[in-house]
């Protein structure tokens, strides 16, 4: 079963995984055991939400050994999770298909902030479309490298003065943090690490997308 869900409280990826695992354990559903611990259910969760990011929905695959309807699975998981987890969607997925963690080809982010105050110059779309658009990333050892951000950006729109919609794709299996794109635009120093973020900008992951054989993107 593939589920889309949200969790209450702090969106920490370790907490999210624990809430999800406990919901499966308490659901009564016949689950396939995980390889690392036979008492735990086999789950595919992710991609992991970035530091300080929010999301409109998280995704996970739950591997079951007995067939159940999507409605039965939804009710069992919701009852076991209580107020800690809200299930938005449940669907059956063939066992042989790639897991949700391996399927993602792109992610859409909502960026919220006072962008006129943060950058009185050219907008983010103009920065990305410039002949040269790179992020200079500093590693913990002080070494720096340049990352061309243009191949990662599929779309960039600003429907409101305080909101930017940014869609980033993976390139050769590698993804780019939206924080790096914004920091490069604002001319901020980028320190490589999980906890890097941009102050006064809210990053909300709106959705994840997979790509078919024709190159078209579809929402997971």
């Amino acid at each position: 079963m593939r589920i889309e869900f949200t969790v209450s409280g702090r969106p920490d990826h370790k907490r999210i995984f624990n809430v999800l695992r406990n919901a499966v354990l308490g659901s009564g559903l016949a689950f396939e055991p995980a390889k690392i611990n036979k008492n735990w259910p086999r789950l595919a969760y992710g991609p992991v939400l970035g530091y300080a990011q929010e999301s409109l929905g998280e995704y996970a695959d739950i591997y079951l050994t007995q067939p159940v309807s999507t409605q039965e699975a939804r009710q069992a998981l919701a009852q076991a999770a209580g107020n800690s987890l809200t299930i938005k969607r449940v669907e059956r997925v063939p066992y042989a298909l790639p897991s949700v963690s391996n399927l993602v080809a792109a992610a859409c982010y909502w960026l919220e902030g006072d962008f006129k105050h943060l950058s009185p110059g050219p907008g983010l779309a103009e920065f990305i479309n410039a002949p040269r658009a790179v992020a200079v990333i500093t590693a913990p050892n002080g070494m720096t490298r340049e990352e061309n951000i243009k191949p990662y950006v599929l779309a960039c729109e600003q429907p409101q003065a305080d909101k930017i919609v940014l869609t980033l794709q993976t390139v050769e299996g590698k993804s780019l943090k939206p924080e790096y794109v914004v920091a490069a635009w604002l001319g901020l120093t980028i320190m490589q690490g999980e906890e890097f973020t941009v102050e006064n900008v809210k990053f909300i992951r709106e959705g994840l997308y997979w790509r078919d054989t024709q190159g078209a993107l579809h929402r997971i």
Side-chain angles (χ1 to χ4, degrees), residues 26-156:
S27 68
L29 296 171
F31 58 80
E32 182 178 327
K35 292 182 180 180
I36 60 172
N37 188 327
K38 299 301 181 181
N39 295 317
W40 289 356
R42 180 185 174 188
L43 301 172
Y45 159 65
V48 173
L49 195 64
Y51 174 78
Q53 290 181 3
E54 301 178 19
S55 78
L56 300 185
E58 296 293 290
Y59 303 83
D61 287 341
I62 303 171
Y63 294 80
L64 303 179
T65 58
Q66 296 180 7
V68 296
S69 69
T70 55
Q71 184 62 26
E72 289 175 307
R74 183 171 192 156
Q75 290 178 346
L77 291 169
Q79 184 174 358
N83 295 328
S84 61
L85 181 149
T86 300
I87 300 176
K88 299 179 64 177
R89 178 167 54 97
V90 179
E91 63 179 343
R92 296 173 63 90
V93 177
Y95 187 91
L97 290 185
S99 68
V100 66
S101 56
N102 294 322
L103 193 60
V104 175
C108 179
Y109 297 91
W110 292 352
L111 317 179
E112 297 180 353
D114 184 356
F115 297 112
K116 184 176 181 180
H117 173 74
L118 291 169
S119 178
L124 179 57
E126 294 175 87
F127 168 75
I128 293 169
N129 291 324
R132 176 177 168 82
V134 300
V136 181
I137 303 170
T138 302
N141 62 6
M143 298 290 291
T144 62
R145 64 179 177 86
E146 289 189 350
E147 185 75 60
N148 181 13
I149 67 175
K150 294 171 74 68
Y152 295 93
V153 180
L154 283 178
C156 179

Side-chain angles (χ1 to χ4, degrees), residues 52 151 199:
E199 293 185 4

Side-chain angles (χ1 to χ4, degrees), residues 56 108-116 124 156-166 185 201-202 204 206:
L56 300 185
C108 179
Y109 297 91
W110 292 352
L111 317 179
E112 297 180 353
D114 184 356
F115 297 112
K116 184 176 181 180
L124 179 57
C156 179
E157 301 176 350
Q158 189 166 358
Q160 302 171 19
D162 59 351
K163 180 178 180 179
I164 294 174
V165 180
L166 180 66
W185 169 44
V201 177
K202 181 184 290 187
I204 304 170
E206 182 272 338

